[in-house]
Structure formats: structure tokens, C-alpha cells
Amino acid sequence: MDFVRADAINQAIRLLSLRHRARAAALLAPLGLHPGQEALLLELARTGPMIQAQLADALGCEPPSVTLMIRKLEASGHVRRAPAPTDRRATVVELTEGGAALVERVKEVWCALAEETVAGLDASVVAELPGALAIMTGNVDARFSSR
């Protein structure tokens, strides 16, 4: 691939990432959330209670980042932590009733953000985006993990 095409691809990905995160922050702020916290809430809604370390893996985040998010979400009453029944060193995180209610609002925001992001694209392109982006993520992950 030549530099002009490579630059166009890399710049498009970089700008989309920055602007998508900024738009997510603007949409999540009225809910009292910061980017990343919505992903944690959505993961717990999908999977149910999780050990904190597994949650970090599922989110692709470093454990200290997840610990900070959990502390903030716990302080706001959206999640609770408890020692894991099988391993007292591990912590289980689960949604509270308030957290489950907030997840429904997060889903609305998430849908709105996705609709804004893909506006103007053909339905066939939109249908292929998750798969194409997953392949791209896997390509980057494979190169990163091989170091």
C-alpha cells in the first residue's frame, strides 16, 4: 500500500475514534457518565455479575482503569462489589437496581450514537461494518500481541 492511501486510512480511523469518543462523552454526560463507564454497565447487563479481573479483560482495559470506573459507579449507586464466594481475593461486580435502570438509558444513547455515526451510509455498508471493524481490530491485536 502506498503512503497516500495508508495516510488516508490511518487519519480516517484516528479522526473517527477521537470524534466518536467526544460525541459519546457529550451524550453520556447528562446521564452522569464518562466514556468507558457505559461499556462497563453494558457488559454487566449482558453477562451478569463478573469478577473484576474478568471484567477488565472483557472491556480490554487495564485493571486499575476498571477499578477506578467501578469506584465511581459504586459511589453513584450503579454497581456494587462483593468478595467472590470461591476466592476471597477476587471481587465480584454487579449492577444495582439503579444501574439496571441506567443501562436502559445508555442503550438509547448508544442507539442514537450509532445512528448518527452511520447516517448517509447504505444499509448494506452498515450491515458489514461490525464484521469489517472486528477484522481490523483483530489485525491490530494480532500485531500488538506478537511483540
Side-chain angles (χ1 to χ4, degrees):
M1 176 179 308
D2 68 14
F3 176 76
V4 172
R5 182 173 296 237
D7 188 47
I9 290 169
N10 289 323
Q11 287 293 342
I13 292 168
R14 184 182 71 78
L15 290 173
L16 174 60
S17 177
L18 290 170
R19 291 183 177 143
H20 188 270
R21 185 172 174 86
R23 183 64 180 137
L27 292 171
L28 292 168
L31 302 180
L33 296 174
H34 298 283
Q37 292 176 329
E38 84 289 355
L40 188 149
L41 293 171
L42 289 167
E43 186 65 26
L44 289 175
R46 271 191 287 275
T47 63
M50 290 182 79
I51 292 176
Q52 193 166 319
Q54 293 170 329
L55 188 54
D57 285 343
L59 296 173
C61 294
E62 293 297 318
S65 298
V66 173
T67 298
L68 183 59
M69 280 193 279
I70 290 169
R71 281 188 191 143
K72 290 180 179 182
L73 290 168
E74 187 176 39
S76 60
H78 301 305
V79 301
R80 71 176 140 259
R81 291 184 284 182
T86 57
D87 181 355
R88 295 305 242 184
R89 296 168 299 166
T91 302
V92 173
V93 183
E94 67 181 329
L95 289 173
T96 62
E97 217 173 282
L102 182 59
V103 164
E104 295 310 311
R105 295 178 63 201
V106 168
K107 286 180 180 179
E108 292 169 9
V109 165
W110 220 224
C111 288
L113 179 59
E115 288 173 8
E116 288 178 14
T117 303
V118 300
L121 294 176
D122 288 339
S124 61
V125 172
V126 173
E128 291 188 26
L129 272 176
L133 293 169
I135 289 168
M136 292 166 66
T137 300
N139 291 342
V140 172
D141 285 348
R143 301 295 188 270
F144 185 72
S145 65
S146 67
R147 290 184 172 205

